[in-house]
């Protein structure tokens, strides 16, 4: 199941916790399996990721219905990368120093719309057409979202960098 | 002020434009500081993500959970009945589709895994070579019998494993006999069936890790599956559905033996 890794990665980026991501992936494989006939063409990966996306969306809706109050956004990842007040020259901050958890934090700071196009493009290396198929969006929308997502990530990153030097270990 | 070419520059960066447009955009970028800065930003965010991102594998426990779930999904229509000839799948048409017969569940699973699985080439070559070899005169069987009570005990003295054996003549798969063969340095048990003009070799060896996979090699269809401590592999030039039919019968038999 080579696409399991991609499915898990995508779910992990979309969801709030590892446990939730696992549940989403499992549900997605079950739906994929039962709906196997619905696969048209040969893009099994895109097809599976689209199902992951739908599973995430329905899990999210269910949770919203259940929850009386919005869930807090914070977790240990956030604490780990919490920005301090100290200002620093963003130019002096090398991206190598940001560790993986901080990248997760940066990406978690993006809207879900931005997050998904960015990850499909940069991590899964999908074409605009493939991303459009997964997200059910017109290609033009994919392009504009991707552009905004990249700007948003850059801004997050500069903001985060301004909070150095705590990330230097 | 962002340059109006920004969108095209991004498409260029993402390798979404043809060579002519690429040359055009490169010419523009050479004279446009905004677009040069944009390209640098695009490169920086890409580097950030690709260098720092977590490319890890899905947790092994999740993989296990999903494998178990799909196995159950496959097995349940077969296990809910004692006589395989009364297919319970009729009540669950939503994913069996046009694939009728007792092999339907397996056909769906294996078709699914076709997209997800790879089999080492060398191993596949060996299995298919053994199948082709068996088709030469006097190579097909060591013990010729349509009686499972003759074939099954024969393996006890000639192979390391004891595969499920049955004559499925009523369902169109006649038991021809058995053979011992060598695959990948191992002695394997081979049960031979005939379906119309097609010979089907079913190889069996000890393995705890057998999972459902299908593939083709040199025009032969190959189906792998696991049951208990055994891994099975059926090879034939019969059509997919015909081959899956036998696989479904064998799996149902295995499931029944396991319950007894
Ligand atoms: Zn420009």
């Amino acid at each position: 199941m080579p696409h399991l890794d991609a499915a898990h990665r995508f779910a992990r980026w979309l969801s709030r916790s590892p446990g939730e991501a696992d549940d989403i992936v499992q549900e997605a494989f079950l739906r994929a399996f039962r709906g196997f006939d619905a696969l048209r063409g040969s893009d099994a990966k895109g097809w599976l990721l689209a199902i992951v996306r739908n599973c995430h969306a329905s899990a999210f809706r269910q949770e919203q219905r259940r929850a009386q109050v919005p869930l807090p956004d914070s977790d240990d990842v956030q604490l780990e990368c919490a920005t301090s007040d100290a200002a620093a020259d963003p130019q002096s901050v090398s991206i190598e120093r940001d560790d993986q958890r901080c990248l997760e934090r940066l990406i978690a700071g993006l809207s879900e719309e931005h997050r998904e196009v960015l990850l499909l493009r940069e991590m899964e290396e999908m074409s605009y057409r493939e991303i459009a198929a997964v997200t059910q969006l017109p290609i033009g929308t994919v392009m504009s979202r991707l552009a905004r997502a990249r700007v948003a990530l850059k801004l997050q990153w500069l903001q985060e960098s301004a909070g150095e030097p705590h990330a230097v270990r | 002020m962002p340059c109006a070419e920004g969108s095209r520059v991004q498409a260029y960066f993402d390798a979404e434009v043809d060579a002519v447009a690429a040359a055009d955009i490169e010419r523009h970028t050479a004279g446009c500081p905004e677009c040069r800065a944009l390209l640098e930003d695009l490169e920086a965010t890409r580097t950030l993500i690709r260098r720092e991102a977590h490319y890890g594998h899905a947790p092994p426990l999740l993989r296990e959970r999903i494998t178990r779930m799909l196995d159950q999904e496959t097995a349940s229509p077969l296990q809910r009945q004692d006589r395989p000839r009364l297919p319970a799948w009729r009540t669950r048409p939503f994913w069996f589709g046009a694939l009728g017969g007792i092999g339907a569940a397996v056909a769906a699973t294996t078709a699914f895994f076709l997209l997800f699985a790879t089999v080492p080439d060398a191993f596949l070559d060996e299995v298919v070579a053994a199948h082709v070899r068996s088709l030469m005169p006097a190579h097909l069987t060591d013990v010729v019998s349509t009686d499972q009570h003759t074939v099954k005990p024969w393996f006890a003295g000639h192979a390391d494993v004891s595969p499920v054996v049955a004559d499925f003549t009523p369902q169109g798969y006649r038991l021809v006999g058995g053979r011992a063969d060598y695959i990948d340095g191992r002695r394997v048990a081979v049960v031979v069936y005939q379906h119309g003009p097609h010979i089907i070799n079913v190889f069996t060896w000890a393995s705890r890790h057998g999972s459902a996979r299908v593939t083709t090699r040199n025009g032969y269809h190959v189906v792998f599956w696991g049951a208990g401590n055994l891994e099975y592999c059926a090879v034939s030039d019969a059509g997919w559905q015909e081959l899956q039919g036998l696989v479904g019968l064998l799996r149902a038999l295995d499931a029944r033996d396991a319950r007894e």
Side-chain angles (χ1 to χ4, degrees), chain A residues 2 5 26 34 122 128 150, chain B residues 14 16 57 65 73 116:
Chain A
D5 290 338
Q26 182 168 1
R34 290 182 169 170
E122 302 293 34
Y128 293 169
R150 282 162 158 164
Chain B
D14 286 324
E16 295 270 353
H57 296 291
R65 235 167 82 187
E73 191 71 9
F116 295 92

Side-chain angles (χ1 to χ4, degrees), chain B residues 27-245:
Chain B
R27 238 188 333 271
H28 168 81
T29 312
C32 174
E34 277 116 54
C35 287
R36 275 206 304 281
L38 173 60
L39 271 179
E40 276 171 28
D41 281 351
L42 291 172
E43 191 59 53
T45 49
R46 171 165 296 172
T47 306
L48 172 71
I49 294 176
R50 292 197 179 161
R51 192 180 301 170
E52 306 299 326
H54 173 61
Y55 276 95
H57 296 291
L61 277 177
L62 175 63
R63 189 175 291 270
E64 248 171 60
R65 235 167 82 187
I66 290 175
T67 307
R68 223 178 314 122
M69 174 187 75
L70 294 183
D71 276 355
Q72 276 168 11
E73 191 71 9
T74 318
S76 52
L78 299 177
Q79 282 171 353
R80 251 188 269 119
Q81 64 201 332
D82 287 300
R83 280 175 304 166
R85 265 180 290 170
L86 296 171
W89 55 266
R90 285 192 188 286
T91 61
R92 305 180 63 196
F94 60 102
W95 54 277
F96 295 126
L99 295 162
I102 192 63
V106 177
T109 324
T110 45
F112 183 68
F113 279 96
L114 175 60
L115 296 155
F116 295 92
T118 52
V119 178
D121 275 357
F123 186 77
L124 207 51
D125 282 339
E126 273 204 58
V127 169
V128 171
H131 174 76
V132 173
R133 209 163 49 232
S134 79
L135 301 179
M136 297 194 303
H139 282 73
L140 189 58
T141 52
D142 296 328
V143 54
V144 182
S145 174
T146 58
D147 182 357
Q148 65 190 79
H149 302 295
T150 307
V151 176
K152 185 125 178 137
W154 182 85
F155 281 119
H158 297 85
D160 306 324
V161 293
S162 175
V164 286
V165 181
D167 179 40
F168 299 109
T169 298
Q171 294 93 334
Y173 302 90
R174 189 172 66 86
L175 177 63
V176 177
R179 181 175 86 245
D181 215 328
Y182 281 88
I183 305 279
D184 198 24
R186 264 177 305 203
R187 197 157 67 146
V188 302
V190 191
V191 183
V192 184
Y193 295 91
Q194 180 151 19
H195 178 72
H198 307 287
I199 291 295
I200 304 174
N201 272 287
V202 179
F203 300 87
T204 312
W205 58 92
S207 167
R208 297 201 63 91
H209 310 292
S211 59
R213 292 167 293 173
V214 299
T215 185
T216 57
R217 174 58 53 107
N218 303 336
Y220 295 99
H221 293 147
V222 186
V223 180
F224 292 87
W225 73 100
N229 295 329
L230 300 178
E231 182 163 12
Y232 288 85
C233 170
V235 186
S236 183
D237 62 346
W240 274 125
Q241 260 171 269
E242 298 170 293
L243 186 55
Q244 302 283 13

Side-chain angles (χ1 to χ4, degrees), chain A residues 7-74:
Chain A
H8 180 257
R9 210 151 47 215
F10 191 43
R12 188 69 192 83
W13 287 113
L14 289 180
S15 65
R16 224 169 298 181
S17 71
E20 190 183 307
D22 286 4
D23 291 346
I24 287 169
V25 173
Q26 182 168 1
E27 173 67 21
F29 266 83
L30 188 62
R31 284 198 205 173
F33 180 74
R34 290 182 169 170
F36 178 74
D37 292 349
L39 173 59
R40 299 275 175 268
S42 57
D43 184 18
K45 179 173 160 184
W47 174 70
L48 188 63
L49 293 187
I51 297 173
V52 168
R53 187 174 177 273
N54 290 338
C55 289
H56 166 68
S58 50
F60 184 71
R61 274 195 304 273
Q62 264 177 17
E63 198 175 86
Q64 271 189 328
R65 243 178 278 133
R66 257 200 313 266
Q68 300 285 349
V69 287
L71 284 168
D73 234 358
S74 62

